[in-house]
Amino acid sequence: MKIAIGSDHAGYKLKSIISGYLLESSHVIVDTGTDSTNSCDYPDFAARTARLVSIGEVDRGILICGTGIGMAITANKFKGVRATLCSNTEEAKLSRQHNHANIICLGSRSRSKEENLSILQVWLDTPVEGGRHRNRVKKIISLEQDNFK
Ligand code: RB5
């Protein structure tokens, strides 16, 4: 898969670790910053990643900040983006199967590195489900047509 990954200063260290793992597993990675632990603004990096997902330049996105919350709020401002905050592996699985999430937002300060890596692995490995779930996602897409310029 082609995956965009971005973080703020709070997520920088975890971003570096995750990028290393993803490259080893032969994914194509687009790093949208930030490039250090210097304080920066999470919306800037959420926007860079979400834009790439929105225009179809990448298959999926990963965003990391202290909690994942600011990243999720920002990323969901982009058309076609379904960004999810996942607290555990079950939510990671369901966010793919039921919600067709295309961006995962991780909280580097909210969970351990090991927990975040497990959540991410499940999310990356889980395909979307069709049927009633696809119909529900189509309703989300239809709301975007009505509400997004
Ligand atoms: C930065 O201090 C923190 O606010 C940010 O990483 C994130 O948690 C915001 O949602």
Side-chain angles (χ1 to χ4, degrees):
M1 277 190 290
K2 192 170 177 185
I3 302 170
I5 182 166
S7 76
D8 70 356
H9 53 286
Y12 173 71
K13 198 174 156 199
L14 184 59
K15 175 165 76 71
S16 304
I17 293 167
I18 288 174
S19 297
Y21 286 142
L22 293 178
L23 285 170
E24 273 176 27
S25 49
S26 75
H27 291 293
V28 175
I29 305 302
V30 180
D31 190 331
T32 59
T34 187
D35 300 324
S36 75
T37 54
N38 294 338
S39 183
C40 61
D41 300 330
Y42 63 80
D44 297 338
F45 301 96
R48 287 185 193 176
T49 297
R51 189 170 288 114
L52 293 178
V53 173
S54 181
I55 65 175
E57 181 62 33
V58 298
D59 302 302
R60 293 209 230 163
I62 300 167
L63 286 167
I64 312 160
C65 63
T67 58
I69 295 171
M71 291 299 197
I73 291 170
T74 310
N76 280 313
K77 302 296 181 199
F78 285 77
K79 198 169 184 178
V81 164
R82 291 176 296 281
T84 182
L85 193 59
C86 295
S87 306
N88 54 52
T89 53
E90 181 65 10
E91 290 183 4
K93 185 179 77 175
L94 291 173
S95 80
R96 289 286 301 152
Q97 291 177 336
H98 290 197
N99 313 111
H100 299 191
N102 49 19
I103 294 185
I104 189 167
C105 302
L106 301 171
S108 61
R109 294 173 177 159
S110 303
R111 277 164 288 282
S112 68
K113 179 185 85 177
E114 290 72 22
E115 285 172 315
N116 275 317
L117 291 176
S118 301
I119 288 167
L120 177 63
Q121 194 61 59
V122 169
W123 188 80
L124 288 172
D125 290 346
T126 306
V128 301
E129 284 185 356
R132 67 186 188 283
H133 302 303
R134 189 168 302 285
N135 290 338
R136 290 165 186 164
V137 171
K138 277 185 186 165
K139 291 194 175 190
I140 298 173
I141 293 167
S142 160
L143 285 167
E144 285 178 346
Q145 310 299 341
D146 296 341
N147 291 297
F148 279 43
K149 285 186 182 168

